[in-house]
Each structure stands twice: as C-alpha cells, then as structure tokens.
Amino acid sequence: MNAEAIHQTLKKRFPDGVGELHTETIDPWIEVQPEHIADVCRFCKEDEALGFDFLSNLTGVDAHNDLLVVYHLYAYGKRHSAVLKVRVPKGKPVTKTVTTVWRTANWFERECYDLLGVRFEGHPDLRRLLLPDDWEGHPLRKEYMFPTEYGGIDNTRDYGF
Amino acid sequence: MMSLYNELPSTFVTTNVDKLINWGRASSLWYLLFGLACCGIELMQTGGPRADIDRFGSVPRATPRQSDLMIVAGTVTLKMASRVKLLYDQMPHPKYVISMGSCSNCGGLFDLGYSVLRGVDKVIPVDLYVPGCPPRPEALTEGLIQVQDKIHRERYLARNN
C-alpha cells in the first residue's frame, strides 16, 4: 500500500483521530491526535491490510511551541511503511503509550521522556533511560540550559561557544 | 645457557632496597580493564598480540583491588564520573593513572556536550596524559614506559617513612 491508501484506511476507521496526510517530505506522514494514538497503532498492527508488525523507531522533535512524537512503522509481510506524528503542547506534554501494541516501544518512550520530557500515560516503567535519575531538565529541548554543576563536579567552561 | 644456570647459584648482585622494590613494581604494573569508549578498542589492541603490552609485565585485571594502574580509556560522562572515582578509591596504594585520549584528557570531541566531564583530572589525579583520538597502541605503550620511568625515579621507602 502507498501512503495515500494507508491514510484512507486510517481516516475511514478513525475520522476524528486521524488528521491530514503530509506529502511534502520524503517520508509522507500522518498526523494523529494524542488521545487516539494507542487505538490507531493497535489498528495498524492488527488490521490485515496494514499489518504493521514492527515499530522501527519512536522519537521526538522539539517544534518550539509543541513537541512532536514520531512513530516509524514497518510491515515485514506487506513491505510498506508509514510515519505517524503526534503533536503535544509543551505546557502539557502528555500522550498515550504504545507499549501495549509493540513491546519495543518501552525503551523508546523512556528515551523520549528522558530527553524531551514527553509523558506517556499507561507506560509500565517511565523512568529516565540514559541520564542519571537525579538529572534536572530534558536536554533536547530548545530552552534547555546546560548544568553548571552536577554531583559536586564543576561543569562550567572557561570559554564561550 | 646451561653454563649460566650452573653459575647462577654462586653469583650475586648488589643493589639497594628502593631500586629492587621499584624494579619489581615497575615490572608488574597490572592495569584495570576500563574501556569507556572507542579508546577502549585501542586499549584492547595494545593488550593484543601485535603491541603486546604484557611483555612489559602489564596484564589486565578485572577488579580494581588487584590493580596498580588505571587506564581511563574514553569519554567520561558526568554519570560515570562518580563511578570512576569509586573505582579509583578501591585500588590499593601505590596507584597510578594514565588518561588515554583527548576525551579523557580534556573532554575532546564531546567537550560541548551537556553530559560530558571535561577531563578525568577533575575527579581523580592523573599521572600521565596520552594525546590522540584515539592514541595508537605505540603511543599507549610509550605512556606505560613513561609511568615505569616515573616509578624508577621514586624513592618508595623514603616516601612512606
């Protein structure tokens, strides 16, 4: 299936939850509402025509006012792929977990929470993945300020950049 | 050879205790296996058959409690810094530290990262810096020989009295 056909299938099943298809990029992407993402992903996996059995990547983007969570799906049986994006406001970055659909999402979502601060409702173990547990802030956000000190270790620079 | 063996029981050498102790210490510098990043690969090569650091009496140990030398090979993150300090504290005296590669010398390539320690000498004392990104096994071998020279210059018994 091509991107238009995938979008049509999803739009027919979720008229409220699925937004426009964006074809200006190399990988066409479909916008999904945060409250519907778990259901949409469940449908993507279980529908016979779609058959997305693999979540190849889950990552996040800082879009200044919002945060985007990006889902790259792949279907080994059908050999087609899709990109879903969820837009959440920075003030309340909450979306639904997809660990119930693909177990590989567990660490992806922990990484996304660690570096961008997106909270995934229903995640079984939403802790930081890479940074220490007592780290403050989420480093991949545009407004993040580098720490000047961590655990008693001076982290300032003698030069600007 | 046989004649030398036969001669040995009746020969003797004169030296002083410091020199004898230093000869023993410098010829058995056991190093802590401590690869943090790509420098760890060069460290393994240095222990491998071509560079063969074992011929200087330096063999890898998997525990700090049996080590005399710590070779910090790679990028030290702020999360790892407290662990490096802990491992150093667990080593028995006398102990030596080689900082291997640009990252561990000063932060190197990852100097501008928010989570990178700018030089391992901010948490533990360093005896010798080996420059390079990463240093070749020849450079690290030279570093080991320099540490051996340093040991030979020390007056170990006088220092501890």
Side-chain angles (χ1 to χ4, degrees), chain A residues 111-141:
Chain A
E111 185 192 17
C112 194
Y113 164 72
D114 189 359
L115 301 179
L116 281 159
V118 180
R119 287 195 295 282
F120 294 90
E121 272 183 351
H123 191 283
D125 182 27
L126 195 62
R127 286 178 296 132
R128 286 185 181 275
L129 179 67
L130 300 165
L131 291 166
D133 289 339
D134 58 349
W135 194 269
E136 285 175 13
H138 302 285
L140 290 194
R141 289 211 186 177

